[in-house]
Amino acid sequence: MDAGPHRLRIAVLGPLEAWSDGTPLVLGPVRRQAVLAPLVLRADTRVSHEQLLDDVWDVRPPRSGHRVLPSHIYPLRKVLDLRGTAHTESVIRSGKGWYCFAGSHARLDVTELDELAEAARRAKASGEPGAAAALYSRALTLFRGEPLAGLPGPFAQAERERLSGRRRTLRSERLDCLVLLGRSADAVDEAAALCASDPYDESLLALRMRALYGSERQAEALNVYEGMRERLRDELGVDPGEELRRTYEAVLRRDDGRLLGRTAPRPGRSRTHRAVNQLPGDTGQLVGRQHHLELLAVPPEPSSVSVVAVDGAAGAGKTALVVRAAHELSPYHPDGCLFVDLRAHSAARQKLAPQRVLRRLLRSVGADDSEVPDDLDELVALWRTATSRLKLLLVLDDALGTQQVRPLLPAGPGSTVIVAGRRRLAGLDADRRVTVDSLGPADAAALLRHILGKDRTDPEPEAIGELVRLCAGLPLALRIAGTRLQTRPAWTVAHLVERMAGDERRLGELSAGDRSVEAAFRLSYEQLPPEQRRVFRALGLTPTVEFDVLTPAAMLGLPPDDTGRILESLVDTSLLQQHRPGRYRLHDLVRVHARRLAEAAPAEADAARAAALRLHLAAGRIASDWGTGGFPSGPQPTGTPFTGWREATLWLDAAGGELADVVGHAAALGDADHACWIAESLIDYFIGRGRYHECHTALGIALAHVEECTDRRMPAALRNCIGLICTYRGRYPQAYAWFGEALELSRARDDRHEEARALIGLGALDGLGSLVPGVGPVDLDRAAARLTRSLELAREFDDDWIVAMALGALGFVRHHQGRSEEALDCVRTAQAHGRASGRPQVIRRALTTVVDLHLALSPREAWTLLRQVADLTQHAGDVLLHTLTLARLGTAAHDEGDPGAAAAIHLRALGQHRTLSPPGEPDSTRLEMDLLCRLGRAYRSCGKESEAREQFRTALALPGADRYPKELAQAEDGLGVVTG
């Protein structure tokens, strides 16, 4: 459905669903949806509270009466409105005693249904039944099942009945067009089904009689009438109406004009060819393919042959889609609709050569077998001559390559060719190309509901969701799973899900009769040359779902350019997906198949897995600011594709949220060393991106396997890492405990590197003392002693990063001891060590320490340093640290007496913070609360009390705000001041 300029799309012709800019929205429980439905279907009309209660609850309103409605309206607004939408601009308006849905905000499927139906009626009235039939078909595809399926209340029930009646009317109108087009045979079965659904509708029965008559089944048409006449007389005591009697008399008289609307043939059209329709039956419900269908079912260009190419993985539902599109296009092709299965991926039948296909096609358009030559060129010439004046629809299913298809293209202007196959036919000149992918979760669940019925799916929503995940949205897998449950009524959905647990069992369960997901994949694999097969097997072993060229290149020892060429060729076979440039992934079930193939060659698989882990370890260590000395054990990066820290960082950025999964992957393989090394190598990268939760997850996975590790540095190293991330997350008591454990372990094993890192953590926390909840009283002397000792150790092994961090922490301790000059000396020396490392992040962190000290001693002197830090963070592409720097700049401006400038800087920092990835990082709430409080204080100093109140209230309303006592207290205190 084309939403045009509308952001919202709402569909009621099936389960109530909504989308915002193409993204599905979660509308909540059915009762809430039942509140939305009458508002949507009465768009731009004020609906009183009483009417809305009657619509949903009828004579049994809830005890809370009108108060229950806001509990549904508020969450609906939250879902449907853009963030920050004012109450008065909501898609659901309200006033005293009423609600109103703003129709201009959304595009409804019923609106499109009305438009298509009206256009179809106009086309039919203008004498264009073919165009009308196509429009009616498009209108009917908007129905995704029973309208407002599952919604309670009298309004929903009445609308279900009304819209279902509308659907029957549209179906009968479409069938009437088919009869007028001379395609009565295509209308007979559906007309019979319509009559069965409403056995007393005489108009439907008249239509069925006309379709039977047009199919040369006059006697059957007369028998149908007699059956209705007897039923009406026996059950209702009446005779058939006038319309049905006139149809009966017309059948007796063989009145083609009255029954079929026959007219003389158009001038210049040959009658030597009798149109044939070889299209398969349009069986099953086509779910989640409306957009694809709209791309395919475009009326042909009258002056040329239209070619449409459809590709997709095995089992994606290509055939069902092109058959549905072909049925919609058939009215535009009066000379015939031809269908050929080219059998490119058939295990049971031989593939069809072009010569054999051409002979069959020529017979279909009336050519005499005795006149058909054997030579391919002569066959092509005869085919083009025979079709030069015909408007044909030709569907070529399961095509292998361009050379197989090109000789089969007809020559008649206005003809359409739809080519479907697993390969992308780059050599074929196509007007449009459509790629068919897996179904989304909602559509996949809808398909299962259609196959199994609501009685079996609705009681097990969680099991249905898990089954959709296990089938990865692949229509073939979903239909096989549905078939297994259909044929085993004693099984629950949860039982099948349990049987599919584990990759080995999953593919085995997805087999029913002669259909098998794994067999479909195997046929695609066996078509590949050896080089592509080897790469495909390796892709099943990648530690991340999505990957670029470098990962398989490292796994196979191939040059990146050669690997990229092979990956692109696998994309063309639909075995590999590419949703964004340079990033690839296997469909979940295809990955299971590829991994099973790889594991059949254990030596090859082991080498590939080890190479992938080495690549991720190298990237983490090269991107880290710790430098080479920061990782004194484990393999050093050699022969990597990264020329420096920037390239490694960008590569890790592209991996998105899957880096913690690499640690889990190594652990699952039993490679505890790489699990621990990779987790340690990524900590600096994660901290620099503000991805504390992911970092903690990766470290937790590694720590669970640390006792299996052969590198005895790792137990202390991982504890130091967890202590550091706990410090950044504001979990100071836990940080103190982790650093303490690391110190004990490192001293027991005489590991001076980890001892120095543990001492920095403990010394920094000792220095903060009472400023840090849960750590205890300030102990500046112990802090200084620990930090001084860490400096001595770090200088032994020449680690600029540890020296810089220790000096920065010691500077603050000296400041709190009242030794300001020593404090400045410490941070200046820290800055020098930061510059010695050559890494912008280390320099920035050292500079930040200097800045923080200057902010405490002389805010004006901090300005120049802050701008240097801002430039460095932008240069490094570090959004989080740039945000923190802007926060400091804003505070400095405020302290210098310019709250207006401070507010502007804090607003910029807040805007940057909200672009951080991932947005769901739990600890991002703490930073957002801090920024909002800073902004609120700046507004308050400017005299803008209402704006200040809004910031403090927003901070208090953030999800999980109560987890951060310090920031919560700041927001409450700030709100108390501006409201006091």
Side-chain angles (χ1 to χ4, degrees):
M1 182 169 65
D2 183 7
H6 301 282
R7 177 183 65 84
L8 278 177
R9 290 171 53 209
I10 298 180
V12 300
L13 301 174
L16 182 61
E17 294 180 336
W19 299 262
S20 176
D21 292 329
T23 301
L25 302 176
V26 179
L27 297 176
V30 292
R31 188 73 70 179
R32 186 173 300 156
Q33 297 178 37
V35 171
L36 177 62
L39 295 174
V40 166
L41 289 171
R42 296 191 188 109
D44 299 320
T45 301
R46 292 183 178 184
V47 182
S48 69
H49 292 175
E50 291 78 9
Q51 181 63 62
L52 202 51
L53 287 168
D54 289 345
D55 287 341
V56 180
W57 285 274
D58 197 12
V59 296
R60 298 178 300 278
R63 292 182 180 178
S64 52
H66 296 174
R67 288 175 296 169
V68 75
L69 293 176
S71 71
H72 292 297
I73 297 295
Y74 176 76
L76 284 171
R77 284 173 169 162
K78 197 169 183 181
V79 169
L80 297 173
D81 292 339
L82 289 172
R83 184 175 180 179
T85 300
H87 176 76
T88 55
E89 298 299 319
S90 172
V91 69
I92 302 178
R93 307 290 168 81
S94 60
K96 189 172 181 180
W98 58 266
Y99 292 107
C100 176
F101 185 85
S104 61
H105 284 51
R107 175 71 164 170
L108 308 185
D109 59 352
V110 288
T111 302
E112 185 170 359
L113 185 77
D114 293 340
E115 293 169 353
L116 289 170
E118 179 58 31
R121 282 191 288 271
R122 289 198 302 268
K124 187 178 179 183
S126 300
E128 299 179 20
L135 288 165
Y136 280 127
S137 294
R138 285 182 61 190
L140 287 165
T141 60
L142 295 175
F143 286 89
R144 297 167 292 108
E146 182 183 51
L148 298 175
L151 294 196
F155 178 87
Q157 181 58 35
E159 285 299 302
R160 264 193 294 275
E161 293 173 3
R162 182 182 71 84
L163 292 170
S164 296
R166 186 83 185 283
R167 185 180 193 179
R168 285 194 300 274
T169 301
L170 292 173
R171 289 175 69 185
S172 67
E173 291 287 345
R174 174 179 171 274
L175 295 179
D176 184 62
C177 290
L178 295 183
V179 172
L180 294 175
L181 287 166
R183 295 177 52 200
S184 295
D186 295 339
V188 168
D189 290 340
E190 189 172 353
L194 280 176
C195 288
S197 68
D198 194 350
Y200 294 104
D201 190 319
E202 296 186 22
S203 296
L204 288 178
L205 193 73
L207 175 61
R208 183 185 177 194
M209 290 173 65
R210 291 170 56 210
L212 287 167
Y213 175 83
S215 304
E216 301 180 0
R217 296 159 66 179
Q218 182 190 25
E220 193 173 343
L222 295 172
N223 289 335
V224 163
Y225 173 81
E226 290 297 335
M228 171 65 97
R229 188 168 67 85
E230 291 177 7
R231 188 163 59 251
L232 289 173
R233 184 188 58 199
D234 295 344
E235 297 179 12
L236 302 178
V238 297
D239 293 323
E242 187 171 345
E243 178 189 2
L244 191 56
R245 288 200 306 272
R246 286 182 177 179
T247 303
Y248 171 69
E249 292 166 359
V251 173
L252 286 172
R253 296 194 309 268
R254 295 181 178 273
D255 186 348
D256 286 3
R258 167 77 173 79
L259 297 169
L260 308 178
R262 288 273 170 87
T263 57
R266 292 194 296 265
R269 179 172 171 187
S270 170
R271 279 296 182 188
T272 58
H273 161 65
R274 182 178 180 182
V276 297
N277 187 339
Q278 299 175 346
L279 297 178
D282 185 8
T283 59
Q285 185 178 24
L286 196 65
V287 175
R289 301 300 189 205
Q290 181 61 34
H291 176 65
H292 300 84
L293 196 59
E294 290 173 357
L295 292 174
L296 290 175
V298 176
E301 289 291 333
S303 59
S304 63
V305 177
S306 300
V307 179
V308 185
V310 180
D311 64 82
K318 300 179 293 297
T319 300
L321 173 64
V322 299
V323 168
R324 172 68 62 83
H327 278 284
E328 292 198 15
L329 287 169
S330 59
Y332 297 101
H333 302 86
D335 296 307
C337 302
L338 310 178
F339 183 93
V340 181
D341 181 357
L342 295 175
R343 308 177 189 171
H345 299 87
S346 174
R349 297 183 298 167
Q350 187 177 7
K351 298 171 183 59
L352 294 179
Q355 291 94 324
R356 185 176 173 187
V357 177
L358 282 169
R359 291 191 193 97
R360 172 179 158 185
L361 292 173
L362 283 164
R363 286 194 298 270
S364 297
V365 298
D368 189 338
D369 273 352
S370 62
E371 298 175 357
V372 175
D374 293 325
D375 181 74
L376 177 59
D377 291 339
E378 292 182 14
L379 280 168
V380 171
L382 182 59
W383 170 242
R384 290 173 180 168
T385 301
T387 59
S388 60
R389 293 191 178 185
L390 302 180
K391 290 186 177 180
L392 292 172
L393 172 62
L394 174 60
V395 178
L396 300 172
D397 193 29
D398 200 14
L400 181 62
T402 304
Q403 291 182 345
Q404 186 186 29
V405 170
R406 196 177 285 127
L408 310 180
L409 302 180
S415 294
T416 299
V417 181
I418 303 178
V419 184
R422 300 182 188 181
R423 294 178 179 271
R424 294 180 179 174
L425 306 182
L428 183 68
D429 292 329
D431 299 281
R432 293 181 302 285
R433 295 182 184 274
V434 176
T435 296
V436 184
D437 209 338
S438 297
L439 296 173
D443 288 328
L447 178 57
L448 287 172
R449 191 179 300 114
H450 170 73
I451 295 170
L452 297 171
K454 295 187 296 183
D455 291 344
R456 292 193 70 181
T457 58
D458 289 0
E460 297 185 85
E462 292 183 2
I464 286 290
E466 182 62 11
L467 183 57
V468 165
R469 187 191 70 78
L470 291 171
C471 292
L474 190 72
L476 175 62
L478 292 164
R479 289 191 178 278
I480 290 175
T483 298
R484 299 206 72 194
L485 289 167
Q486 276 182 333
T487 57
R488 292 163 176 80
W491 283 14
T492 62
V493 180
H495 177 70
L496 178 58
V497 166
E498 184 179 351
R499 290 175 64 93
M500 293 174 66
D503 288 348
E504 290 296 324
R505 298 171 64 186
R506 182 161 28 156
L507 285 179
E509 290 294 323
L510 291 175
S511 177
D514 61 350
R515 294 194 300 176
S516 164
V517 170
E518 187 162 28
F521 293 158
R522 189 182 303 113
L523 288 169
S524 292
Y525 172 75
E526 289 173 353
Q527 297 263 359
L528 302 176
E531 182 182 50
Q532 290 183 352
R533 290 190 189 188
R534 179 174 174 240
V535 173
F536 176 73
R537 291 194 299 271
L539 299 183
L541 305 173
T542 57
T544 57
V545 172
E546 193 177 276
F547 48 85
D548 68 350
V549 169
L550 296 184
T551 300
M555 295 171 77
L556 296 165
L558 294 174
D561 288 346
D562 292 348
T563 307
R565 173 181 53 78
I566 298 171
L567 292 180
E568 289 297 325
S569 68
L570 287 172
V571 170
D572 287 338
T573 66
S574 296
L575 282 170
L576 185 61
Q577 301 171 335
Q578 184 176 198
H579 295 302
R580 53 188 174 124
R583 303 293 299 178
Y584 304 89
R585 63 180 296 153
L586 294 172
H587 182 279
D588 287 355
L589 292 176
V590 175
R591 186 185 311 109
V592 174
H593 177 59
R595 184 160 56 245
R596 289 172 63 144
L597 291 170
E599 287 169 349
E604 179 185 284
D606 290 345
R609 283 178 168 132
L613 294 178
R614 287 195 300 271
L615 178 69
H616 284 82
L617 175 61
R621 289 190 169 185
I622 292 171
S624 172
D625 290 326
W626 294 4
T628 305
F631 303 98
S633 62
Q636 294 300 316
T638 56
T640 73
F642 311 114
T643 57
W645 67 269
R646 185 180 296 279
E647 290 77 11
T649 300
L650 291 174
W651 190 77
L652 293 172
D653 285 342
E658 291 194 76
L659 291 175
D661 294 338
V662 179
V663 179
H665 179 79
L669 294 175
D671 192 340
D673 281 324
H674 270 99
C676 296
W677 291 332
I678 293 171
E680 180 195 34
S681 76
L682 291 172
I683 182 172
D684 197 50
Y685 168 80
F686 277 136
I687 288 173
R689 292 295 184 268
R691 290 158 62 176
Y692 306 144
H693 181 70
E694 284 179 81
C695 187
H696 216 137
T697 299
L699 291 168
I701 294 169
L703 190 66
H705 298 271
V706 74
E707 296 307 322
E708 305 160 26
C709 192
T710 61
D711 185 348
R712 301 319 298 159
R713 183 177 67 86
M714 283 295 103
L718 291 183
R719 286 169 169 80
N720 272 326
C721 290
I722 297 176
L724 184 59
I725 200 66
C726 284
T727 303
Y728 274 94
R729 299 183 80 177
R731 300 176 179 181
Y732 302 113
Q734 296 95 318
Y736 204 85
W738 284 111
F739 284 131
E741 288 184 24
L743 183 63
E744 290 181 16
L745 283 170
S746 60
R747 284 177 171 170
R749 293 172 181 171
D750 194 25
D751 185 339
R752 299 194 169 196
H753 186 278
E754 297 308 322
E755 181 183 355
R757 290 172 63 189
L759 287 168
I760 291 175
L762 291 169
L765 292 173
D766 281 335
L768 292 173
S770 60
L771 301 177
V772 178
V775 171
V778 174
D779 191 339
L780 296 178
D781 291 338
R782 185 170 65 178
R786 283 175 164 173
L787 292 169
T788 301
R789 176 57 181 161
S790 71
L791 275 173
E792 293 171 357
L793 293 171
R795 284 171 174 150
E796 288 181 15
F797 41 81
D798 195 25
D799 190 321
D800 285 316
W801 188 89
I802 292 182
V803 170
M805 296 304 104
L807 283 167
L810 185 58
F812 268 95
V813 170
R814 295 304 187 204
H815 167 64
H816 288 301
Q817 288 177 324
R819 299 155 67 173
S820 298
E821 285 303 318
E822 290 182 49
L824 286 173
D825 285 342
C826 285
V827 296
R828 286 172 185 145
T829 308
Q831 184 180 345
H833 279 276
R835 293 190 184 282
S837 74
R839 302 289 183 100
Q841 293 286 60
V842 182
I843 301 170
R844 186 214 64 80
R845 287 176 185 172
L847 273 173
T848 299
T849 307
V850 180
V851 169
D852 287 341
L853 199 55
H854 275 296
L855 284 172
L857 297 174
S858 174
R860 185 174 298 278
E861 294 179 21
W863 271 91
T864 302
L865 291 170
L866 275 169
R867 295 191 180 281
Q868 290 181 38
V869 174
D871 290 342
L872 281 167
T873 51
Q874 279 192 315
H875 175 65
D878 195 325
V879 177
L880 172 67
L881 296 179
H882 195 222
T883 300
L884 295 172
T885 302
L886 288 174
R888 286 180 168 87
L889 269 170
T891 299
H894 198 172
D895 292 345
E896 284 297 295
D898 192 348
I905 295 171
H906 288 318
L907 273 174
R908 185 180 167 199
L910 197 58
Q912 281 208 156
H913 169 71
R914 287 170 178 166
T915 68
L916 279 171
S917 177
E921 169 64 47
D923 292 294
S924 68
T925 298
R926 182 161 64 98
L927 175 55
E928 186 165 357
M929 291 178 71
D930 178 68
L931 293 171
L932 286 165
C933 289
R934 291 177 191 242
L935 180 58
R937 290 191 292 270
Y939 278 144
R940 186 179 65 204
S941 297
C942 293
K944 299 180 178 180
E945 293 196 355
S946 62
E947 288 90 339
R949 272 195 300 273
E950 183 180 353
Q951 307 313 312
F952 293 127
R953 284 172 176 163
T954 302
L956 291 170
L958 288 174
D962 56 347
R963 293 200 301 265
Y964 306 104
K966 177 183 174 184
E967 289 73 18
L968 190 69
Q970 289 177 357
E972 290 173 341
D973 291 346
L975 188 61
V977 171
V978 293
T979 57

